[in-house]
Amino acid sequence: MSKTKTSFFCQNCGYESAKWVGKCPNCDQWNTFVEEVIVKGSDKKEKDDWKEYNGVGKLKTISIADVSSAEEKRIVTNDAELNRVLGGGIVLGSIVLVAGEPGIGKSTLFLQIGLQLNDITTLYISGEESEQQIKMRADRVGIKSEQFYLLTETNTQTIFQEIKKLKPQLIIVDSIQTLQSPFVESGPGSVSQIRECAAELQRFAKETNTPVFLIGHITKDGNIAGPKILEHMVDTVLQFEGDRNYMYRILRTLKNRFGSTAELGIYEMTGTGMRAVSNPSEILITQKEEQLSGIAIAATIEGMRPLLIEAQALVTQSVYGTPQRTVSGFDLRRLQLLLAVLEKRGGFHFGMKDVFINIAGGLKVEDPSIDLAMVSALLSSYEDMPISQHVCFAGEVGLSGEIRAVNRVEQRIAEAEKLGFEKIIVSKYNSKSLSKLKFNIEIISLAKVEELYQYLF
Ligand code: TYD
Ligand code: MG
């Protein structure tokens, strides 16, 4: 007799449980379990793979020495930033998840990439927008392509029928949350639907060697159901991020079976689509006529690329009893730590001041080497004395006020030199390994934040 099997899934992390539970034992979220049908009254035949254990079954196992080590074939797109984050182009038969908040520009970017692939039959499957809406967007982006096909459909079986007829060489699915497989009962966007649809597409990708991009929405905290549960199924996970109020967007590799995960691509959202930014440092630094206090340039490394970023600080007299600390693009706890170091080691009374911090361009910086520039910006605003525009900084600040060495310092110095800086301030411990002769830029090495203050003012 056929039986319908159901299971409970955490909608936050995808954890499966036979019974309903209030709190997810995996991610500790409350009230996230929803019952989903996993097998529709099936007549799946029982398989007993061990039966032929002693039989003459053909050996499928293969010695690693016999596997041919052909380089994976790649489609190299016109978009240098995308090629970079994928590790040199789209690998045939790979399945790539692109996750990002709604409205960040995922549909625009992948529509554009598909349209640019002129000699490759691309199928763009949309469950979110009508053909007219996509056409309007394509007109706005202003790229024409004869090889770009649209399909507004959510049923995976219908989709596969269309794919069989068209035989596309690249498939973009926008978005995975809208797809629906007839083999699973629960609604689109549920954990079991997303899993099943992705599994069907993955099988298709591997069997036909067609690359598939899956676009997936995430919320602000980045871990709502959907994309998260797919991370282990797909070959590559790209995250598209940025502040919607700013024009810069970052495409970051979180996982990549065919390349490095330390890569990132930078785009600028314009009125006519996404524009790849090939020299990010030059635009991230605002060019000013006069020198202003509270600004310092950090030579950071984002992904594999050196990036010069402007750190901005505003220190003002506190009006209320509790001073304010407001950050944008920088970790609040990190700021509090730096302020405590300055208070204790340098005797600056930030306890009476409001402090506002900003990273220009709406970027989020994770590289700790921005500390030194941040401290300099704070001191500059505190003293209301500007720092020369020709100086940049690369160093981490430790709890005892020591300036710590940063990795890949040569690359940072080379980038600063290329952009016309005259001086770069680094840790004393970095300069030991540096051959100063190679650079035309003056390298100043300091050991403590006290020395930094004396040097700057
Ligand atoms: P969209 O690609 O729809 O985002 P997602 O698919 O990630 O939800 O992008 C939506 C935003 O992009 C929308 O607010 C308008 C803006 N946009 C531009 O600024 N320029 C353009 O050329 C296009 C097509 C969109
Ligand atoms: Mg979209």
Side-chain angles (χ1 to χ4, degrees):
M1 207 191 87
S2 69
K3 222 174 114 198
T4 301
K5 193 176 165 229
T6 66
S7 203
F8 292 86
F9 288 95
C10 168
Q11 300 294 307
N12 187 49
C13 68
Y15 184 84
E16 186 178 348
S17 163
K19 281 186 298 187
W20 186 87
V21 278
K23 183 184 174 192
C24 175
N26 188 42
C27 65
D28 290 342
Q29 293 287 313
W30 288 90
N31 268 334
T32 54
F33 277 82
V34 170
E35 185 173 19
E36 294 180 9
V37 180
I38 43 177
V39 188
K40 238 191 199 177
S42 79
D43 46 2
K44 273 192 178 167
K45 79 170 174 1
E46 285 272 316
K47 265 204 247 159
D48 196 349
D49 292 332
W50 295 106
K51 265 183 198 153
E52 289 181 40
Y53 185 67
N54 290 319
V56 279
K58 193 170 167 266
L59 192 66
K60 269 190 104 175
T61 327
I62 181 168
S63 155
I64 191 153
D66 297 338
V67 182
S68 62
S69 59
E71 272 270 301
E72 63 278 323
K73 289 205 177 66
R74 290 177 189 260
I75 301 171
V76 180
T77 67
N78 291 342
D79 189 318
E81 303 295 296
L82 181 73
N83 293 340
R84 187 208 312 277
V85 293
L86 291 176
I90 307 168
V91 176
L92 292 188
S94 68
I95 181 153
V96 180
L97 173 69
V98 183
E101 284 171 39
I104 205 82
K106 303 178 294 297
S107 305
T108 308
L109 179 64
F110 280 87
L111 177 72
Q112 207 175 312
I113 287 166
L115 287 168
Q116 279 168 354
L117 288 168
N118 234 332
D119 43 0
I120 283 170
T121 318
T122 307
L123 177 63
Y124 184 92
I125 302 163
S126 179
E128 300 193 337
E129 289 158 307
S130 68
E131 283 122 7
Q132 280 74 27
Q133 281 174 306
I134 300 169
K135 174 72 178 163
M136 269 161 58
R137 198 195 296 250
D139 289 344
R140 195 165 160 189
V141 170
I143 311 169
K144 287 204 167 55
S145 172
E146 299 290 312
Q147 297 276 60
F148 189 82
Y149 294 87
L150 291 180
L151 175 62
T152 48
E153 176 60 56
T154 56
N155 184 314
T156 53
Q157 286 322 100
T158 321
I159 289 174
F160 283 123
Q161 280 162 15
E162 289 296 314
I163 288 176
K164 250 184 220 150
K165 285 184 245 165
L166 180 70
K167 297 200 169 51
Q169 291 159 285
L170 175 72
I171 294 176
I172 299 167
V173 177
D174 188 9
S175 66
I176 183 72
Q177 273 110 333
T178 58
L179 291 194
Q180 195 166 16
S181 166
F183 300 116
V184 175
E185 201 123 286
S186 48
S190 64
V191 173
S192 38
Q193 268 299 356
I194 290 177
R195 243 192 224 154
E196 172 64 22
C197 296
E200 286 174 16
L201 284 161
Q202 187 194 32
R203 244 170 306 169
F204 164 79
K206 299 293 169 218
E207 277 163 23
T208 60
N209 224 11
T210 314
V212 176
F213 281 92
L214 301 178
I215 294 176
H217 296 291
I218 51 172
T219 50
K220 256 226 143 25
D221 44 1
N223 55 3
I224 212 77
K228 207 73 191 167
I229 51 176
L230 293 179
E231 279 181 7
H232 66 279
M233 288 174 72
V234 300
D235 297 312
T236 304
V237 180
L238 302 180
Q239 180 149 315
F240 203 39
E241 57 188 43
D243 192 321
R244 241 180 292 171
N245 300 323
Y246 291 93
M247 52 197 177
Y248 297 111
R249 301 282 183 273
I250 292 182
L251 192 60
R252 216 184 268 279
T253 322
L254 298 187
K255 164 184 173 178
N256 195 356
R257 288 191 180 141
F258 311 108
S260 153
T261 51
E263 284 296 358
L264 105 186
I266 302 180
Y267 293 91
E268 185 184 357
M269 181 65 125
T270 68
T272 54
M274 293 281 171
R275 191 178 70 83
V277 177
S278 46
N279 54 346
S281 299
E282 281 176 26
I283 12 182
L284 290 176
I285 301 168
T286 41
Q287 309 290 328
K288 286 166 296 291
E289 296 297 308
E290 50 173 338
Q291 300 193 343
L292 302 170
S293 69
I295 289 175
I297 310 290
T300 65
I301 297 234
E302 276 291 311
M304 299 295 273
R305 275 196 290 179
L307 198 60
L308 272 79
I309 293 180
E310 188 176 301
Q312 303 173 339
L314 179 65
V315 179
T316 57
Q317 196 62 40
S318 195
V319 182
Y320 303 106
T322 324
Q324 292 185 64
R325 272 91 181 88
T326 310
V327 289
S328 156
F330 193 75
D331 185 29
L332 179 62
R333 268 174 296 181
R334 188 88 205 149
L335 169 67
Q336 282 162 342
L337 188 148
L338 294 179
L339 291 177
V341 169
L342 289 176
E343 185 110 31
K344 175 99 183 170
R345 306 287 159 193
F348 300 98
H349 300 297
F350 282 100
M352 319 287 289
K353 309 275 189 186
D354 288 342
V355 177
F356 306 89
I357 289 290
N358 182 35
I359 306 287
L363 290 187
K364 236 200 298 214
V365 180
E366 278 156 21
D367 186 353
S369 72
I370 197 172
D371 282 359
L372 196 57
M374 198 49 91
V375 165
S376 307
L378 285 168
L379 292 176
S380 163
S381 182
Y382 185 95
E383 296 289 354
D384 200 16
M385 288 200 287
I387 296 170
S388 160
Q389 290 182 5
H390 306 292
V391 182
C392 65
F393 304 84
E396 193 184 335
V397 174
L399 285 187
S400 55
E402 81 275 20
I403 299 170
R404 306 174 58 146
V406 293
N407 59 358
R408 308 225 296 277
V409 72
E410 290 94 347
Q411 229 177 319
R412 299 171 199 257
I413 296 173
E415 178 77 2
E417 186 180 331
K418 203 173 91 194
L419 290 173
F421 283 88
E422 290 163 9
K423 290 176 190 169
I424 182 164
I425 301 183
V426 298
S427 162
K428 201 175 97 188
Y429 308 100
N430 259 138
S431 63
K432 282 181 187 157
S433 60
L434 277 178
S435 48
K436 292 193 183 187
L437 298 171
K438 273 199 307 197
F439 303 103
N440 294 324
I441 185 171
E442 188 184 344
I443 300 168
I444 292 141
S445 46
L446 302 176
K448 282 183 158 6
V449 286
E450 293 95 306
E451 292 172 27
L452 175 73
Y453 183 79
Q454 276 154 17
Y455 179 79
L456 290 176
F457 310 110

